Amino acid sequence: MKLIFAGTPEFAAQALQAIIAAGHEVALVLTQPDRAAGRGMVLRASPVKGLALAAGIEVLQPQTLKDAATQERIRAIAAEVIVVAAYGLILPQAVLEVPRLGCLNIHASLLPRWRGAAPIQRAIMAGDAETGICIMQMDAGLDTGPVLLCGRLPIDRSDTAASLHDKLARLGARLIVEALAGLPLTAQPQAETGVTYAAKIGKDEAGLDWRLPAAMLAARVRAFNPFPGACCALGGDLFKLWRADAVEGTGLPGEILSADREGLVIACGDGALRVTELQKAGGKRLSAAQFLAGTRLLPGSRCALPTT
């Protein structure tokens, strides 16, 4: 099948690799413009661009898909289908109408739950027992199109956004190849009930409110690993918490109940949070045992509460 692929991060690159391996002709790849990254703010190509160039595929990096020149280039390919995975740009109606078999999106949730930009993180934050991949026929709405193929995946209690991302990326790569092989497929409209939206994760969400239940805070630590990293302030220093679980404990919200090789136990609104991996601003990620070997934290001291 002749197709166009639109995607940017590693999640999308795995799907592109699977499509190439399946023998499809990827005639054009659309990806986000190179971004400055790292301490040196050096321009870096997206994982999808790197893979496409290595495979000898033409790459287009428009700022928008609304301009006439870009749309004409897409039409000139005469692709049968456009596959989209975490691209980052909205496909206007003029582009959605180009391919004969439409535009297929690889979405990392069980639609209609968690439409939007951050379905993996929001599913963990909400304590969902499962998630999955939906191969969706795109329309003008925000992840509102009918579903062609769906795969489910349990969310383990130890899953972080990073580990769940990797599992879903593998599932998405497998399902898009299966969907392409079976086209045209029967499209199932999404249910009108159970709709939720997964807003983009912002750094302003990273600060932990110790008045919340420990189970909720443990879910946020997992959801914010690796970005933006759950944060707390103690004694004027900022810390990022990378691994934690909810345990029994009683104290003032934010109060350190114990600090030993087993972890740093901090009282919450209900229960306590045992932190087993953390990082001081400017330092390295360390286990609780390693961290406490160089930093003394006394029981009774308190992590700061949000000011708002």
Side-chain angles (χ1 to χ4, degrees), residues 64-87:
T64 176
L65 296 179
K66 295 180 180 179
D67 67 279
T70 299
Q71 292 181 10
E72 181 55 37
R73 180 68 191 113
I74 292 171
R75 277 192 291 268
I77 295 295
E80 296 174 85
V81 66
I82 296 177
V83 174
V84 181
Y87 178 31

Side-chain angles (χ1 to χ4, degrees), residues 92-139:
Q93 189 64 34
V95 173
L96 292 174
E97 295 173 352
V98 168
R100 178 175 63 86
L101 295 173
C103 300
L104 305 186
N105 183 41
I106 307 171
H107 187 76
S109 82
L110 298 174
L111 293 167
R113 186 162 177 80
W114 303 128
R115 295 172 178 171
I120 297 174
Q121 295 92 331
R122 297 298 176 189
I124 295 174
M125 288 175 67
D128 291 0
E130 66 173 356
T131 184
I133 291 288
C134 283
I135 307 299
M136 180 193 71
Q137 190 88 47
M138 296 178 70
D139 60 17

Side-chain angles (χ1 to χ4, degrees), residues 7-299:
T8 299
E10 180 59 33
F11 179 90
Q14 292 197 35
L16 176 58
Q17 180 66 66
I19 289 169
I20 294 171
H24 296 288
E25 179 191 351
V26 183
L28 177 69
V29 161
L30 301 170
T31 191
Q32 287 276 316
D34 297 353
R35 306 292 189 195
R39 292 186 178 182
M41 296 304 287
V42 177
L43 283 178
R44 293 184 181 176
S46 71
V48 164
K49 179 180 178 180
L51 176 59
L53 293 178
I57 301 170
E58 179 187 352
V59 174
L60 197 60
Q61 297 176 271
Q63 294 285 353
T64 176
L65 296 179
K66 295 180 180 179
D67 67 279
T70 299
Q71 292 181 10
E72 181 55 37
R73 180 68 191 113
I74 292 171
R75 277 192 291 268
I77 295 295
E80 296 174 85
V81 66
I82 296 177
V83 174
V84 181
Y87 178 31
L89 288 181
I90 295 174
L91 271 62
Q93 189 64 34
V95 173
L96 292 174
E97 295 173 352
V98 168
R100 178 175 63 86
L101 295 173
C103 300
L104 305 186
N105 183 41
I106 307 171
H107 187 76
S109 82
L110 298 174
L111 293 167
R113 186 162 177 80
W114 303 128
R115 295 172 178 171
I120 297 174
Q121 295 92 331
R122 297 298 176 189
I124 295 174
M125 288 175 67
D128 291 0
E130 66 173 356
T131 184
I133 291 288
C134 283
I135 307 299
M136 180 193 71
Q137 190 88 47
M138 296 178 70
D139 60 17
L142 177 62
D143 300 326
T144 55
V147 174
L148 303 179
L149 201 61
C150 182
R152 295 177 178 270
L153 189 71
I155 300 178
D156 295 336
R157 290 179 59 86
S158 60
D159 268 326
T160 64
S163 65
L164 190 56
H165 165 281
D166 292 348
K167 294 177 184 179
L168 288 168
R170 291 191 292 270
L171 178 59
R174 178 173 64 82
L175 288 182
I176 189 59
V177 170
E178 184 178 336
L180 290 173
L183 288 178
L185 294 168
T186 302
Q188 298 293 331
Q190 293 185 34
E192 296 182 1
T193 58
V195 176
T196 57
Y197 289 93
K200 185 178 179 180
I201 299 293
K203 290 184 179 180
D204 58 332
E205 298 183 71
L208 296 182
D209 186 343
W210 298 102
R211 294 165 293 195
L212 296 174
M216 184 178 293
L217 294 181
R220 292 191 177 195
V221 170
R222 292 162 49 218
F224 295 162
N225 182 353
F227 176 85
C231 296
C232 72
L234 176 62
D237 291 320
L238 185 66
F239 298 87
K240 285 195 173 184
L241 311 183
W242 295 114
R243 293 197 179 275
D245 58 295
V247 295
E248 294 183 358
T250 304
L252 296 173
E255 179 185 356
I256 295 179
L257 303 179
S258 64
D260 54 36
R261 293 183 60 85
E262 299 302 315
L264 181 65
V265 179
I266 305 170
C268 305
D270 179 20
L273 194 70
R274 179 175 59 194
V275 180
T276 54
E277 185 179 359
L278 67 165
Q279 178 181 15
K280 190 174 182 179
K284 297 179 179 180
R285 290 174 62 155
L286 299 171
S287 67
Q290 292 172 317
F291 179 83
L292 293 170
T295 303
R296 190 183 183 193
L297 295 178
L298 297 176

